[in-house]
Amino acid sequence: MDNLGLAKGVRMGRSYFHLHLVSDSTGETLINVGRAAAAQYEGVSAIEHVYPLVRSAAQLDRVISEIRAAPGLVLYTLVGGDLGERLEEVARETGSPCLSVLRPVHDLLRAYLGAETTARPGAQHMLNAEYFKRIDAMNFTLAHDDGNLPEDLEEADVILLGVSRTSKTPTSIYLANRGLKTTNLPLVPGMPLPPAIERARKPLVVGLFASPERIVQIRQNRLSSLNADESSLYVDRSAVADEITMSRRLFTKNRWPTIDVTRRSIEETAAAIVDLYRDHRLKFIAD
C-alpha cells in the first residue's frame, strides 16, 4: 500500500482504497457523497468504514484507532470544532487526505447570508412536519402496494402503472421517502384496471415500461430464486412483448407520461417522476 492506503493490482486487477466516513449524525450524507464520487473511477473500489453518531472524544478515539490501522481518505461531517480539528490532525499524521464535506457549503452560506452557523448535529433529521409527512407517505404507500385498496386512488400523489417487474414497488417506496403518497397497479393481461383510475384527477399517473429482453431477464431471475417453473408465458419473450405493447397503448390512449426503466436505476426513475409531479401539481392547482 502507498500512503493513501491504495491496494493496487489485487482481486482481479481492481484497486481498492480505504474510505473513512465520520459523521455526528446518521452518515447518509457522507455515504451518498462518497459513493457518487467513487463511482466515477473505473477499476477502483472503496472499502468503506462508516462511523455514525460520533459526538464525543471517546467515540472519536475508536475512529482514530481504525484510521491509524488502515490509512486512506477521510470525509467527515462533524459540526463541533474540537472533534473536527482533532480528526484532521490525526489524518495529517497518518498521511490520510481529509475533507469536511459540509464546510465549503457552510462557508458559502455564511458569506451569502452574513450569519454564523449554530452547531446542531443531526439537525436535518429533526421531528418536524416534513418528517411526519414522509412517515405518512410511507404508511400509505406500503398499504397500497401492488393494487391494494384501489378505491383510495384519489388520495395518492402518484400512481405507477406497469407490467410485472418494471420496478413499481421499489420506486414507490423511494418516492414515499421523498414524501409522496404512491400507489402502484400491475397491468395483467385480461384484468381491467380499477374504474377509479380514469376519474382520478389529483394524482399524477405514470406508466413504466422496459424492453422485453430486460423484463424476461428479471422474471427468469425471480422464478429461479423461487425454484419455480420457467416454461410459462410469464417469461415467454413474445408474450412479454405483447404485454409491453398493450401497456404502452394504454398509456398513449390516456395521455399518461411514460418512463423507460430499461437502463434506469430506481433513483433516476424516481427523480424523473418527482420532476413530472412538480409540473403536474402546478397544473392541478391552476385548474
Side-chain angles (χ1 to χ4, degrees):
M1 285 193 182
D2 58 20
N3 64 343
L4 294 183
L6 189 64
K8 298 185 177 183
V10 297
R11 301 187 192 179
M12 296 183 292
R14 294 188 67 83
S15 295
Y16 293 80
F17 68 96
H18 293 281
L19 178 60
H20 298 273
L21 306 172
V22 189
S23 173
D24 52 21
S25 186
T26 62
E28 294 176 24
T29 299
L30 285 174
I31 292 172
N32 290 335
V33 170
R35 289 179 180 175
Q40 307 305 312
Y41 298 88
E42 294 186 7
V44 180
S45 297
I47 301 173
E48 294 180 354
H49 306 261
V50 183
Y51 315 95
L53 303 174
V54 177
R55 300 179 180 178
S56 69
Q59 292 169 328
L60 187 60
D61 284 340
R62 180 178 67 86
V63 176
I64 289 173
S65 66
E66 294 205 26
I67 293 175
R68 292 188 188 281
L73 295 178
V74 180
L75 302 180
Y76 73 91
T77 55
L78 302 176
V79 297
D82 292 343
L83 294 180
E85 290 175 4
R86 185 171 175 225
L87 180 63
E88 290 194 357
E89 180 181 347
V90 171
R92 285 192 295 270
E93 293 174 1
T94 59
S96 300
C98 184
L99 175 68
S100 169
V101 170
L102 293 181
R103 183 181 296 160
V105 181
H106 284 316
D107 290 345
L108 185 64
L109 283 172
R110 185 185 302 113
Y112 183 74
L113 299 175
E116 292 297 320
T117 61
T118 301
R120 294 188 299 161
Q124 72 272 34
H125 299 295
M126 292 176 61
L127 302 183
N128 54 18
E130 187 66 25
Y131 174 83
F132 289 107
K133 178 184 177 183
R134 288 193 290 116
I135 296 301
D136 189 35
M138 186 64 73
N139 288 335
F140 179 92
T141 299
L142 292 175
H144 293 77
D145 180 44
D146 201 28
N148 287 319
L149 302 177
E151 63 275 10
D152 294 341
L153 291 181
E154 189 63 28
E155 296 182 23
D157 296 313
V158 176
I159 299 173
L160 300 182
L161 301 176
V163 303
S164 173
R165 302 297 122 185
T166 45
S167 303
K168 297 184 298 298
T169 293
T171 303
S172 296
I173 293 173
Y174 192 95
L175 290 170
N177 197 45
R178 295 286 298 272
L180 295 178
K181 293 181 179 179
T182 308
T183 186
N184 70 82
L185 302 173
L187 297 180
V188 180
M191 291 187 62
L193 285 171
I197 195 169
E198 295 183 0
R199 301 191 300 269
R201 292 295 177 264
K202 172 180 168 285
L204 166 70
V205 182
V206 179
L208 305 181
F209 69 94
S211 69
E213 292 75 17
R214 179 59 175 162
I215 295 296
V216 169
Q217 178 187 35
I218 298 174
R219 290 183 179 183
Q220 286 176 333
N221 291 339
R222 174 65 172 167
L223 292 179
S224 294
S225 68
L226 298 174
N227 293 320
D229 181 19
E230 296 185 31
S231 62
S232 68
L233 291 177
Y234 184 66
V235 291
D236 179 79
R237 201 271 182 202
S238 179
V240 170
D242 289 342
E243 283 187 57
I244 296 169
T245 298
M246 175 273 298
S247 71
R248 298 192 67 178
R249 286 175 179 167
L250 177 67
F251 303 151
T252 300
K253 173 187 173 184
N254 291 278
R255 298 182 179 179
W256 291 326
T258 62
I259 298 176
D260 184 351
V261 301
T262 304
R263 294 181 177 83
R264 285 181 185 259
S265 66
I266 300 301
E267 295 82 358
E268 290 172 325
T269 301
I273 293 171
V274 169
D275 194 40
L276 289 170
Y277 177 76
R278 188 179 298 112
D279 292 340
H280 172 80
R281 189 63 181 160
L282 290 174
K283 292 177 182 177
F284 178 78
I285 293 173
D287 292 341

